[in-house]
Each structure stands twice: as structure tokens, then as C-alpha cells.
Amino acid sequence: MGGLRQNVLLALLLLAWFWAPNLDTPLDQRGAARQQPSVTTYLTDSRSQAYNEAGQLVEILAAERIAYRDADNISELSQPRYYAHDGDDRSWSLVAQRGTLRHATEILSLRQDILLTNDQSGGTLATRALTLNLRSKTATSMVPVTFTQANNQVTADGMRADLTTQVIHLEPNVESLYVPPGQ
């Protein structure tokens, strides 16, 4: 009976050693390394506007919810919306389900149900992952995309778009369906 009691006591000591939160053991350090940096700021229904030197609106970034982590200077966005304006009545609208904004590099990584729209032509580009460089106003996607305008549709395995020049490069494996007007 004493041997069983010693085994149970040893098992309890080992269990306590592995789960003790104040012990400075390699297992405790590994658990701390896996934890995400804590959120320092929450914003709801956020909207930020940027203007150029002449006072013209150049971009709007909005989100239903933003969680900012000061430790890594990153914001997680829910329902992000982005609008780019060039001052010549040309604009783009971008919506997604989720996004991550890296403040130091001004890179906005978007995920899930992304729709990039040229507001003048009405052409839309749909994809599931897109990276937007806010400094250069360029968007890239390395996953399948579908560009739709009127009844025409073009699909590709990736794309690059310059929101300032309004040029979109679809590549590779581009396929298109063209429907002539009036059909």
C-alpha cells in the first residue's frame, strides 16, 4: 500500500510541477512564447481619413472593430473597408471580412470575401486574400481572382493592381468570358 501511495504522491508532484504557473521552467517559458501579445486598444466603428498637402481626400480606412497590439504595432480589423481617391474623380473601394494592418510598413493584409471595386467603371475583383500597400497604393493577390465588369468575366491565379494608374495585371492562367453588348 505504501508503494501505491508513493506513486500517487510522485504523480501529483510531477503534475504540479508541469502546471505550476510561477515556476521558471522550460515548459513554462515555451507556453509564454506561444501566447499572442496582448491587445492594448479596442476601437469600434472606426474611420480614419487621410488628405494630401492640397487638402484633398486621398484615402479612408474604416472597420467595424479594431484590436491594436502595441507590442508588435499591428491592428486586427473586422469588416475593414478602404477607399482610395486620386483627386481626379477616380476612386477604388475595397471590402473584406478580416484584415491585419502592420503600421510600420503600412501593409494591409486582407482575408475572406474580398471585393475590390473600381468606382467609375463598376468593375469588381473578388478574391479570398489580398495585400494592399498603403504607401504605393498597390494591391496584390497570389490566390485565384475573378474580375467582373458588366456581363464579362476574367479569372486568373493572381493579380497586381496599381490603384493610382488604375492598371490591373491578371496572371498566370488567365481565362475570360466575353459577352458582346446587347447579348
Side-chain angles (χ1 to χ4, degrees), residues 58-71:
V58 292
E59 70 182 14
I60 298 171
L61 179 60
E64 184 177 288
R65 183 173 187 269
I66 299 175
Y68 175 72
R69 297 189 315 253
D70 191 39

Side-chain angles (χ1 to χ4, degrees), residues 2-67:
L4 178 62
R5 191 174 300 159
Q6 284 178 336
N7 288 342
V8 169
L9 183 59
L10 181 60
L12 287 174
L13 285 172
L14 284 173
L15 187 61
W17 182 73
F18 280 112
W19 282 353
N22 296 327
L23 295 177
D24 191 19
T25 65
L27 288 175
D28 290 331
Q29 292 169 359
R30 187 178 64 208
R34 281 187 289 198
Q35 293 177 353
Q36 291 288 331
S38 62
V39 173
T40 56
T41 306
Y42 288 102
L43 298 171
T44 57
D45 297 324
S46 173
R47 181 181 171 108
S48 136
Q49 296 175 204
Y51 297 86
N52 64 15
E53 299 80 25
Q56 296 172 318
L57 181 66
V58 292
E59 70 182 14
I60 298 171
L61 179 60
E64 184 177 288
R65 183 173 187 269
I66 299 175

